[in-house]
Amino acid sequence: MASFKTIDDIDVAGKRVFLRADLNVPMMDGKITDTTRIDRTVPTITDLIAKGAKVIVASHFGRPKGQRIDSMSLKPVANALSKALNGRPVAFAEDCVGLEAEKAVNSLEAGGVVLLENLRFHSSETINDPTFAKKLADLADVYVNDAFSSAHRAHASTEAITRQLPHAAGRLMQAELEALEKALGNPIRPVAAVIGGAKVSTKLELLGNMVEKVDVLIIGGGMANTFLFAQGVDIGKSLCEKDMADTAREVLEKAKKHNCEIILPSDVVVADKFAERASYKTVSANDVPEDMMILDSGSKSAKEVADKLESCQTLIWNGPLGAFEIKPFDSATNMVARKAAELTKQGKLLTVAGGGDTVSALANAGVQEDFSCISTAGGAFLEWLEGKELPGIKALEN
Ligand code: AMP
């Protein structure tokens, strides 16, 4: 496991702390529609304040590609952050480097907080420019990274800056790294993984790594169709990547070699179209009518997975088991998620989930508070599941 310092290991009293957070919140017409990412930064900021630090919060927001774009300003986030900190004032600097930033930082008292403008208004951020990293570093004495979700990118504020300042992981980063280590680095076995979602092609490396590391791999969602097709099953007009059949067979072969049990749906919910009020029924996976499409695992398959979890100690989850956005095709995801949540609450299962649509699929199942860790990271979570080294994490290592 990467060994890294936490904010307990560094002296921050009276010091200027550059906190790289992920405040890339969803926004509509200038209004924040989901404050999860802001709320998750609060424990780190609160701890830094309690230790007497001057907290300089920095983040990216959208993809302005080096341009100053008003709709991608972090200014509205300063108020939301202040609200999340129980009304503690959060100053805002109109730029993340230079005079504006320096002025705002120089006005901070111990325990004060300033939010810097969007890092990506400077193209030097995304090219990991050391000169730009030095300008960011010059604002502070210590660097803390709480943005696991940005750790798969070597950017100036996630990578190059660590060469300029003493550095540590924030509380959120710490919690995510510890959960990931428990799930895949050094897990209590048996370990199961639920991998669902639309396509095999986007999760090839992930599947390859999973079969090496986990004891049971539960494949669901659209990608299960490709696996069924690869085994000669007629899947009607279901979403399927026929050109991925060889790859799917290779994954199955590799699983056999690594003693990884693969569970594919044995019954499926089929419908005439992917739409509200589509007519649907449950059939055996071997009996999919040619004019219908698979949109969910059937209840027998969901129960089989739920039962399997009873004999597991650790669960990794990425991707829904069906087209969960439209009811009732969220049924299998909901049933398995609720079982996993119940086992977690009973202390029998460690559950770590994340990546892409997983957060909304699990929120839809009503279990977002009950898993051990649900990471809001998308790309970083997937790259970690693929077994890749994340530059932002490597840079934090001692
Ligand atoms: P991903 O981003 O790869 O995790 O894929 C998530 C998407 O997969 C969701 O939008 C689901 O609606 C979709 N999905 C899951 N199962 C199916 C299926 N059987 N047919 C079509 N789309 C599906």
Side-chain angles (χ1 to χ4, degrees):
M1 152 125 180
S3 81
F4 52 89
K5 290 201 169 83
T6 72
I7 53 183
D8 296 320
D9 305 317
I10 46 168
D11 179 18
V12 297
K15 299 213 170 135
R16 299 166 301 164
V17 176
F18 187 100
L19 173 62
R20 175 56 159 101
D22 177 3
L23 301 177
N24 188 23
V25 286
M27 219 186 268
M28 220 167 6
D29 303 326
K31 292 224 160 57
I32 297 164
T33 55
D34 180 354
T35 60
T36 306
R37 284 188 159 150
I38 296 172
D39 301 336
R40 287 192 168 194
T41 310
V42 167
T44 304
I45 299 180
T46 310
D47 279 7
L48 290 171
I49 291 170
K51 289 171 188 277
K54 300 173 181 176
V55 189
I56 307 158
V57 187
S59 175
H60 69 287
F61 185 55
R63 292 175 186 221
K65 302 198 168 142
Q67 306 293 317
R68 179 170 280 273
I69 296 175
D70 284 348
S71 61
M72 293 186 200
S73 169
L74 275 169
K75 198 163 189 175
V77 175
N79 281 337
L81 184 57
S82 166
K83 219 181 269 172
L85 291 166
N86 289 326
R88 179 175 280 269
V90 174
F92 183 71
E94 302 280 344
D95 200 352
C96 63
V97 287
L99 268 182
E100 285 294 332
E102 283 160 27
K103 234 173 25 195
V105 170
N106 289 340
S107 317
L108 282 181
E109 314 242 319
V113 183
V114 61
L115 173 64
L116 305 180
E117 183 56 285
N118 193 349
L119 292 158
R120 290 192 189 163
F121 282 178
H122 296 262
S123 54
S124 336
E125 160 67 359
T126 49
I127 58 167
N128 202 19
D129 177 4
T131 313
F132 181 68
K134 171 88 169 56
K135 284 187 194 165
L136 296 173
D138 282 346
L139 297 170
D141 308 298
V142 175
Y143 170 79
V144 172
N145 189 347
D146 225 5
F148 174 74
S149 49
S150 301
H152 58 316
R153 312 242 185 262
H155 288 174
S157 69
T158 60
E159 209 273 345
I161 193 170
T162 60
R163 288 191 284 277
Q164 306 278 347
L165 292 173
H167 44 269
R171 295 293 183 223
L172 177 59
M173 174 72 96
Q174 182 186 347
E176 292 195 282
L177 290 180
E178 285 170 0
L180 298 181
E181 173 66 12
K182 278 191 203 153
L184 204 60
N186 193 14
I188 304 177
R189 291 182 183 274
V191 188
V194 167
I195 305 295
K199 291 180 173 177
V200 172
S201 54
T202 56
K203 297 193 181 172
L204 215 50
E205 289 181 71
L206 189 158
L207 290 166
N209 192 40
M210 284 296 114
V211 294
E212 281 182 28
K213 304 257 170 77
V214 306
D215 305 295
V216 186
L217 176 61
I218 296 134
I219 302 176
M223 72 166 72
N225 305 342
T226 303
F227 277 88
L228 291 171
F229 173 78
Q231 291 180 319
V233 175
D234 200 340
I235 40 115
K237 55 174 193 168
S238 305
L239 175 72
C240 176
E241 294 173 286
K242 295 192 172 157
D243 55 339
M244 283 281 143
D246 281 343
T247 309
R249 281 188 287 266
E250 277 161 31
V251 170
L252 297 175
E253 269 310 301
K254 190 172 176 189
K256 217 181 271 168
K257 219 167 75 196
H258 288 273
N259 281 327
C260 170
E261 181 188 357
I262 299 271
I263 300 184
L264 281 163
S266 55
D267 66 338
V268 288
V269 180
V270 292
D272 53 349
K273 53 181 186 267
F274 180 36
E276 307 267 359
R277 287 181 288 279
S279 64
Y280 63 90
K281 59 181 179 181
T282 302
V283 295
S284 154
N286 290 311
D287 292 324
V288 177
E290 65 177 57
D291 57 347
M292 296 188 99
M293 59 177 78
I294 302 171
L295 289 175
D296 198 10
S297 292
S299 55
K300 184 166 135 277
S301 302
K303 178 154 186 338
E304 190 191 344
V305 173
D307 289 347
K308 189 75 193 178
L309 295 185
E310 298 216 354
S311 61
C312 294
Q313 298 282 327
T314 305
L315 173 68
I316 298 159
W317 189 319
N318 170 260
L321 292 177
F324 75 99
E325 295 94 336
I326 295 185
K327 283 185 195 317
F329 311 119
D330 57 349
S331 302
T333 304
N334 291 349
M335 183 184 167
V336 177
R338 287 171 193 157
K339 178 68 180 195
E342 185 189 311
L343 292 169
T344 309
K345 281 194 278 186
Q346 292 168 354
K348 294 178 180 161
L349 188 68
L350 177 104
T351 40
V352 177
D357 278 339
T358 313
V359 182
S360 44
L362 295 180
N364 180 62
V367 301
Q368 67 272 45
E369 302 302 329
D370 302 326
F371 270 44
S372 315
C373 173
I374 299 183
S375 171
T376 56
F381 190 87
L382 288 176
E383 287 197 23
W384 172 81
L385 288 187
E386 288 166 0
K388 289 191 181 142
E389 188 173 75
L390 309 184
I393 306 301
K394 175 105 182 87
L396 267 194
E397 280 178 22
N398 293 324

